[in-house]
Short mmCIF file of all heavy atoms in Angstrom, two decimals:
data_model
loop_
_atom_site.label_atom_id
_atom_site.label_comp_id
_atom_site.label_asym_id
_atom_site.label_seq_id
_atom_site.Cartn_x
_atom_site.Cartn_y
_atom_site.Cartn_z
N GLU A 119 -20.53 28.30 -36.32
CA GLU A 119 -21.93 27.91 -36.32
C GLU A 119 -22.48 27.70 -34.92
O GLU A 119 -23.56 27.14 -34.76
CB GLU A 119 -22.09 26.60 -37.10
CG GLU A 119 -21.78 26.79 -38.56
CD GLU A 119 -22.17 25.59 -39.37
OE1 GLU A 119 -22.37 24.52 -38.79
OE2 GLU A 119 -22.30 25.73 -40.58
N ALA A 130 -5.73 29.77 -12.71
CA ALA A 130 -6.29 30.67 -11.73
C ALA A 130 -5.72 30.48 -10.35
O ALA A 130 -6.06 31.20 -9.43
CB ALA A 130 -7.81 30.48 -11.67
N LYS A 131 -4.88 29.49 -10.19
CA LYS A 131 -4.50 29.19 -8.81
C LYS A 131 -3.23 29.91 -8.38
O LYS A 131 -3.14 30.38 -7.27
CB LYS A 131 -4.30 27.69 -8.66
CG LYS A 131 -5.62 26.99 -8.52
CD LYS A 131 -5.43 25.53 -8.36
CE LYS A 131 -6.79 24.86 -8.41
NZ LYS A 131 -6.64 23.44 -8.57
N GLY A 133 -1.78 32.62 -9.64
CA GLY A 133 -1.55 33.94 -10.21
C GLY A 133 -1.30 33.90 -11.68
O GLY A 133 -0.27 34.35 -12.15
N LEU A 146 -0.42 43.98 -8.91
CA LEU A 146 -0.41 42.53 -8.96
C LEU A 146 0.58 42.09 -10.01
O LEU A 146 0.47 42.46 -11.16
CB LEU A 146 -1.79 42.02 -9.34
CG LEU A 146 -2.66 41.62 -8.17
CD1 LEU A 146 -3.86 40.86 -8.70
CD2 LEU A 146 -1.89 40.77 -7.20
N PRO A 153 5.12 25.84 -14.53
CA PRO A 153 4.78 25.02 -15.70
C PRO A 153 4.47 23.60 -15.28
O PRO A 153 5.11 23.04 -14.43
CB PRO A 153 6.03 25.09 -16.55
CG PRO A 153 7.10 25.49 -15.62
CD PRO A 153 6.48 26.31 -14.56
N ASP A 164 -19.05 20.40 -27.03
CA ASP A 164 -20.06 20.21 -28.06
C ASP A 164 -21.39 20.72 -27.54
O ASP A 164 -21.87 20.29 -26.50
CB ASP A 164 -20.15 18.73 -28.39
CG ASP A 164 -20.97 18.50 -29.64
OD1 ASP A 164 -21.37 19.51 -30.23
OD2 ASP A 164 -21.18 17.34 -30.00
N GLN A 174 -12.73 17.58 -27.61
CA GLN A 174 -11.28 17.44 -27.67
C GLN A 174 -10.65 18.43 -26.71
O GLN A 174 -11.17 19.51 -26.48
CB GLN A 174 -10.77 17.68 -29.09
CG GLN A 174 -9.31 17.30 -29.25
CD GLN A 174 -8.85 17.37 -30.69
OE1 GLN A 174 -9.59 17.77 -31.56
NE2 GLN A 174 -7.63 16.98 -30.93
N LEU A 176 -7.22 20.45 -26.15
CA LEU A 176 -5.95 20.84 -26.76
C LEU A 176 -5.03 21.24 -25.61
O LEU A 176 -5.10 22.34 -25.10
CB LEU A 176 -6.15 22.00 -27.72
CG LEU A 176 -7.38 21.90 -28.62
CD1 LEU A 176 -7.50 23.15 -29.47
CD2 LEU A 176 -7.28 20.70 -29.51
N ARG A 180 1.70 24.94 -22.25
CA ARG A 180 2.40 24.59 -21.02
C ARG A 180 1.99 25.50 -19.88
O ARG A 180 2.46 25.34 -18.77
CB ARG A 180 3.90 24.69 -21.24
CG ARG A 180 4.39 23.81 -22.30
CD ARG A 180 5.03 22.57 -21.70
NE ARG A 180 5.11 21.55 -22.70
CZ ARG A 180 4.35 20.48 -22.71
NH1 ARG A 180 3.48 20.28 -21.74
NH2 ARG A 180 4.45 19.59 -23.65
N ASP A 199 2.75 30.70 -21.69
CA ASP A 199 4.08 30.16 -21.89
C ASP A 199 4.80 30.83 -23.06
O ASP A 199 5.88 30.40 -23.45
CB ASP A 199 4.04 28.65 -22.09
CG ASP A 199 3.31 28.25 -23.36
OD1 ASP A 199 2.86 29.14 -24.08
OD2 ASP A 199 3.19 27.05 -23.60
N ARG A 203 -0.36 29.45 -30.52
CA ARG A 203 -0.57 28.19 -31.23
C ARG A 203 -1.78 28.34 -32.13
O ARG A 203 -2.83 28.83 -31.71
CB ARG A 203 -0.78 27.05 -30.25
CG ARG A 203 0.46 26.72 -29.47
CD ARG A 203 0.21 25.60 -28.50
NE ARG A 203 1.44 25.28 -27.79
CZ ARG A 203 1.91 25.96 -26.74
NH1 ARG A 203 1.24 27.01 -26.30
NH2 ARG A 203 3.03 25.62 -26.16
N LEU A 207 -7.56 23.02 -38.45
CA LEU A 207 -8.32 21.78 -38.54
C LEU A 207 -8.31 21.22 -39.95
O LEU A 207 -8.40 20.03 -40.16
CB LEU A 207 -9.76 22.01 -38.12
CG LEU A 207 -10.08 21.82 -36.65
CD1 LEU A 207 -9.69 23.05 -35.88
CD2 LEU A 207 -11.54 21.53 -36.48
N GLY A 210 -4.87 19.89 -40.42
CA GLY A 210 -4.44 18.94 -39.40
C GLY A 210 -3.06 19.24 -38.89
O GLY A 210 -2.26 18.35 -38.68
N LEU A 212 -0.54 21.91 -36.36
CA LEU A 212 -0.43 22.86 -35.27
C LEU A 212 0.80 23.72 -35.53
O LEU A 212 1.89 23.21 -35.71
CB LEU A 212 -0.30 22.12 -33.94
CG LEU A 212 0.29 22.88 -32.76
CD1 LEU A 212 -0.59 24.05 -32.39
CD2 LEU A 212 0.44 21.97 -31.57
N SER A 214 3.08 26.59 -33.99
CA SER A 214 3.39 27.20 -32.71
C SER A 214 4.45 28.27 -32.93
O SER A 214 5.55 27.98 -33.37
CB SER A 214 3.88 26.12 -31.75
OG SER A 214 4.50 26.70 -30.66
N ASP A 215 4.08 29.47 -32.63
CA ASP A 215 5.01 30.58 -32.80
C ASP A 215 5.48 31.03 -31.44
O ASP A 215 4.69 31.29 -30.55
CB ASP A 215 4.31 31.75 -33.51
CG ASP A 215 4.11 31.44 -34.97
OD1 ASP A 215 4.97 30.77 -35.55
OD2 ASP A 215 3.07 31.86 -35.52
N TYR A 216 6.75 31.13 -31.34
CA TYR A 216 7.32 31.54 -30.06
C TYR A 216 7.46 33.05 -30.04
O TYR A 216 8.04 33.64 -30.94
CB TYR A 216 8.68 30.88 -29.88
CG TYR A 216 9.31 31.17 -28.56
CD1 TYR A 216 8.85 30.52 -27.41
CD2 TYR A 216 10.33 32.08 -28.44
CE1 TYR A 216 9.41 30.78 -26.18
CE2 TYR A 216 10.90 32.35 -27.21
CZ TYR A 216 10.43 31.69 -26.09
OH TYR A 216 10.99 31.95 -24.87
N LYS A 247 0.26 34.99 -40.79
CA LYS A 247 -0.35 33.77 -40.29
C LYS A 247 0.32 32.53 -40.86
O LYS A 247 0.49 31.54 -40.18
CB LYS A 247 -1.84 33.77 -40.65
CG LYS A 247 -2.65 32.77 -39.88
CD LYS A 247 -4.09 32.80 -40.28
CE LYS A 247 -4.29 31.99 -41.54
NZ LYS A 247 -5.70 31.87 -41.90
N ASP A 248 0.69 32.61 -42.09
CA ASP A 248 1.18 31.40 -42.74
C ASP A 248 2.63 31.09 -42.40
O ASP A 248 3.00 29.94 -42.21
CB ASP A 248 1.03 31.52 -44.25
CG ASP A 248 -0.41 31.51 -44.67
OD1 ASP A 248 -1.19 30.83 -43.97
OD2 ASP A 248 -0.76 32.19 -45.64
N GLY A 250 4.55 32.98 -40.03
CA GLY A 250 4.99 33.36 -38.70
C GLY A 250 5.96 34.51 -38.69
O GLY A 250 6.55 34.81 -37.66
N GLU A 255 5.48 45.77 -35.41
CA GLU A 255 5.61 45.74 -33.97
C GLU A 255 5.08 47.07 -33.46
O GLU A 255 5.39 48.12 -34.04
CB GLU A 255 7.07 45.57 -33.59
CG GLU A 255 7.25 44.80 -32.33
CD GLU A 255 8.72 44.46 -32.09
OE1 GLU A 255 9.58 45.11 -32.71
OE2 GLU A 255 8.98 43.59 -31.29
N GLU B 588 8.37 21.30 -28.56
CA GLU B 588 8.85 22.63 -28.91
C GLU B 588 10.17 22.83 -28.19
O GLU B 588 10.21 23.04 -26.99
CB GLU B 588 7.84 23.68 -28.48
CG GLU B 588 6.49 23.49 -29.15
CD GLU B 588 5.36 23.94 -28.28
OE1 GLU B 588 5.55 24.04 -27.06
OE2 GLU B 588 4.29 24.21 -28.83
N VAL B 591 14.56 26.63 -26.77
CA VAL B 591 14.02 27.95 -26.54
C VAL B 591 15.10 29.01 -26.68
O VAL B 591 14.82 30.13 -27.10
CB VAL B 591 13.40 28.00 -25.13
CG1 VAL B 591 12.80 29.34 -24.88
CG2 VAL B 591 12.37 26.92 -25.01
N LYS B 601 14.41 39.82 -33.63
CA LYS B 601 13.18 40.03 -34.38
C LYS B 601 13.17 39.22 -35.67
O LYS B 601 12.69 39.67 -36.70
CB LYS B 601 12.97 41.50 -34.68
CG LYS B 601 12.86 42.29 -33.40
CD LYS B 601 12.42 43.68 -33.61
CE LYS B 601 12.26 44.36 -32.28
NZ LYS B 601 12.03 45.77 -32.37
N GLY B 604 9.52 33.97 -37.75
CA GLY B 604 9.35 33.18 -38.97
C GLY B 604 9.74 31.75 -38.71
O GLY B 604 9.29 31.15 -37.72
N THR B 607 11.21 30.85 -35.24
CA THR B 607 10.37 30.81 -34.06
C THR B 607 9.17 29.90 -34.22
O THR B 607 8.36 29.78 -33.33
CB THR B 607 9.86 32.21 -33.71
OG1 THR B 607 9.16 32.70 -34.85
CG2 THR B 607 10.97 33.12 -33.35
N ARG B 608 9.08 29.30 -35.37
CA ARG B 608 7.86 28.52 -35.61
C ARG B 608 8.14 27.04 -35.52
O ARG B 608 9.16 26.56 -36.02
CB ARG B 608 7.31 28.86 -36.99
CG ARG B 608 6.24 27.90 -37.45
CD ARG B 608 5.39 28.51 -38.50
NE ARG B 608 4.43 29.44 -37.95
CZ ARG B 608 3.29 29.79 -38.56
NH1 ARG B 608 2.99 29.29 -39.71
NH2 ARG B 608 2.48 30.64 -38.00
N ASP B 609 7.26 26.35 -34.87
CA ASP B 609 7.28 24.89 -34.88
C ASP B 609 5.99 24.44 -35.53
O ASP B 609 4.92 24.97 -35.23
CB ASP B 609 7.33 24.33 -33.45
CG ASP B 609 8.64 24.66 -32.78
OD1 ASP B 609 9.67 24.42 -33.39
OD2 ASP B 609 8.60 25.18 -31.64
N PHE B 611 3.67 21.11 -36.19
CA PHE B 611 3.45 19.73 -35.79
C PHE B 611 2.27 19.17 -36.54
O PHE B 611 1.39 19.89 -36.98
CB PHE B 611 3.14 19.63 -34.29
CG PHE B 611 4.14 20.31 -33.43
CD1 PHE B 611 3.78 21.42 -32.69
CD2 PHE B 611 5.44 19.84 -33.36
CE1 PHE B 611 4.70 22.04 -31.90
CE2 PHE B 611 6.34 20.47 -32.57
CZ PHE B 611 5.99 21.58 -31.84
N TRP B 613 -1.04 17.55 -36.20
CA TRP B 613 -2.04 17.59 -35.13
C TRP B 613 -3.33 17.00 -35.66
O TRP B 613 -3.80 17.35 -36.73
CB TRP B 613 -2.25 19.03 -34.69
CG TRP B 613 -3.32 19.19 -33.69
CD1 TRP B 613 -3.29 18.83 -32.38
CD2 TRP B 613 -4.60 19.80 -33.90
NE1 TRP B 613 -4.47 19.14 -31.78
CE2 TRP B 613 -5.28 19.74 -32.69
CE3 TRP B 613 -5.23 20.36 -35.00
CZ2 TRP B 613 -6.57 20.22 -32.54
CZ3 TRP B 613 -6.51 20.85 -34.86
CH2 TRP B 613 -7.16 20.78 -33.64
N HIS B 614 -3.88 16.10 -34.89
CA HIS B 614 -5.08 15.40 -35.33
C HIS B 614 -6.29 15.96 -34.60
O HIS B 614 -6.40 15.78 -33.40
CB HIS B 614 -4.95 13.92 -35.03
CG HIS B 614 -3.88 13.27 -35.82
ND1 HIS B 614 -4.10 12.27 -36.72
CD2 HIS B 614 -2.54 13.48 -35.87
CE1 HIS B 614 -2.98 11.89 -37.27
NE2 HIS B 614 -2.01 12.61 -36.77
N ASP B 616 -10.17 16.03 -33.51
CA ASP B 616 -11.18 15.02 -33.29
C ASP B 616 -12.14 15.00 -34.48
O ASP B 616 -12.39 16.02 -35.11
CB ASP B 616 -11.93 15.33 -32.00
CG ASP B 616 -12.74 14.15 -31.52
OD1 ASP B 616 -13.88 14.00 -31.98
OD2 ASP B 616 -12.22 13.41 -30.69
N ARG B 622 -18.18 19.41 -36.64
CA ARG B 622 -18.81 20.62 -36.15
C ARG B 622 -18.28 21.86 -36.84
O ARG B 622 -18.96 22.85 -36.97
CB ARG B 622 -18.60 20.74 -34.64
CG ARG B 622 -19.28 19.67 -33.84
CD ARG B 622 -20.72 20.01 -33.61
NE ARG B 622 -21.36 19.03 -32.76
CZ ARG B 622 -22.07 18.00 -33.22
NH1 ARG B 622 -22.22 17.83 -34.51
NH2 ARG B 622 -22.63 17.17 -32.38
N ASN B 624 -17.41 21.87 -39.88
CA ASN B 624 -17.67 21.69 -41.30
C ASN B 624 -16.38 21.61 -42.10
O ASN B 624 -16.22 22.23 -43.14
CB ASN B 624 -18.53 22.83 -41.85
CG ASN B 624 -19.94 22.71 -41.38
OD1 ASN B 624 -20.43 21.61 -41.20
ND2 ASN B 624 -20.58 23.84 -41.18
N PRO B 628 -8.74 15.88 -41.75
CA PRO B 628 -7.48 15.82 -42.49
C PRO B 628 -6.83 14.46 -42.43
O PRO B 628 -6.04 14.11 -43.30
CB PRO B 628 -6.63 16.89 -41.82
CG PRO B 628 -7.21 17.06 -40.49
CD PRO B 628 -8.66 16.79 -40.61
N TYR B 629 -7.11 13.72 -41.38
CA TYR B 629 -6.54 12.37 -41.28
C TYR B 629 -7.68 11.39 -41.11
O TYR B 629 -7.97 10.95 -40.00
CB TYR B 629 -5.59 12.28 -40.09
CG TYR B 629 -4.50 13.31 -40.13
CD1 TYR B 629 -4.59 14.46 -39.34
CD2 TYR B 629 -3.39 13.15 -40.94
CE1 TYR B 629 -3.61 15.42 -39.39
CE2 TYR B 629 -2.41 14.11 -40.98
CZ TYR B 629 -2.51 15.24 -40.21
OH TYR B 629 -1.54 16.18 -40.24
N VAL B 635 -5.88 11.35 -31.74
CA VAL B 635 -6.40 12.68 -31.48
C VAL B 635 -5.31 13.47 -30.80
O VAL B 635 -4.67 12.99 -29.87
CB VAL B 635 -7.66 12.60 -30.59
CG1 VAL B 635 -8.04 13.98 -30.13
CG2 VAL B 635 -8.81 11.99 -31.35
N THR B 656 10.44 24.17 -20.72
CA THR B 656 9.29 24.88 -20.17
C THR B 656 9.65 25.56 -18.87
O THR B 656 9.15 26.61 -18.54
CB THR B 656 8.15 23.90 -19.94
OG1 THR B 656 8.64 22.89 -19.06
CG2 THR B 656 7.70 23.30 -21.25
N LEU B 659 11.12 28.95 -19.14
CA LEU B 659 10.34 30.03 -19.71
C LEU B 659 9.99 31.11 -18.72
O LEU B 659 10.21 32.28 -18.99
CB LEU B 659 9.07 29.46 -20.32
CG LEU B 659 9.24 29.00 -21.74
CD1 LEU B 659 7.98 28.36 -22.21
CD2 LEU B 659 9.58 30.19 -22.61
N LEU B 700 9.30 18.99 -10.77
CA LEU B 700 9.32 20.44 -10.94
C LEU B 700 9.35 21.14 -9.61
O LEU B 700 10.08 22.12 -9.42
CB LEU B 700 8.09 20.85 -11.73
CG LEU B 700 8.31 20.57 -13.21
CD1 LEU B 700 7.02 20.73 -13.95
CD2 LEU B 700 9.35 21.54 -13.73
N LYS B 881 -4.80 35.65 -2.11
CA LYS B 881 -3.70 35.47 -3.03
C LYS B 881 -3.21 36.82 -3.55
O LYS B 881 -2.03 37.05 -3.70
CB LYS B 881 -4.17 34.60 -4.20
CG LYS B 881 -3.06 33.99 -4.95
CD LYS B 881 -3.62 33.30 -6.12
CE LYS B 881 -4.30 34.29 -7.02
NZ LYS B 881 -5.13 33.65 -7.98
N HIS B 882 -4.17 37.68 -3.77
CA HIS B 882 -3.76 38.99 -4.28
C HIS B 882 -2.79 39.65 -3.33
O HIS B 882 -1.73 40.13 -3.71
CB HIS B 882 -4.98 39.87 -4.43
CG HIS B 882 -5.81 39.47 -5.59
ND1 HIS B 882 -5.28 39.14 -6.80
CD2 HIS B 882 -7.15 39.33 -5.70
CE1 HIS B 882 -6.24 38.82 -7.63
NE2 HIS B 882 -7.40 38.92 -6.98
N LYS B 885 0.46 38.12 -3.31
CA LYS B 885 1.24 38.42 -4.49
C LYS B 885 1.85 39.80 -4.42
O LYS B 885 2.95 40.04 -4.88
CB LYS B 885 0.35 38.31 -5.71
CG LYS B 885 0.65 37.05 -6.45
CD LYS B 885 -0.19 37.01 -7.62
CE LYS B 885 -0.98 35.74 -7.63
NZ LYS B 885 -2.22 35.91 -8.30
#
Side-chain angles (χ1 to χ4, degrees):
Chain A
E119 294 190 342
K131 281 180 187 167
L146 264 193
D164 191 4
Q174 190 172 4
L176 318 177
R180 300 259 162 252
D199 65 1
R203 291 179 179 81
L207 270 81
L212 159 63
S214 164
D215 287 325
Y216 184 75
K247 196 180 82 175
D248 291 328
E255 212 171 18
Chain B
E588 300 149 340
V591 181
K601 299 190 177 171
T607 57
R608 167 159 283 203
D609 293 311
F611 308 113
W613 176 72
H614 294 242
D616 195 274
R622 294 278 184 264
N624 287 327
Y629 305 101
V635 170
T656 58
L659 273 175
L700 281 169
K881 199 186 62 195
H882 287 317
K885 256 182 235 151

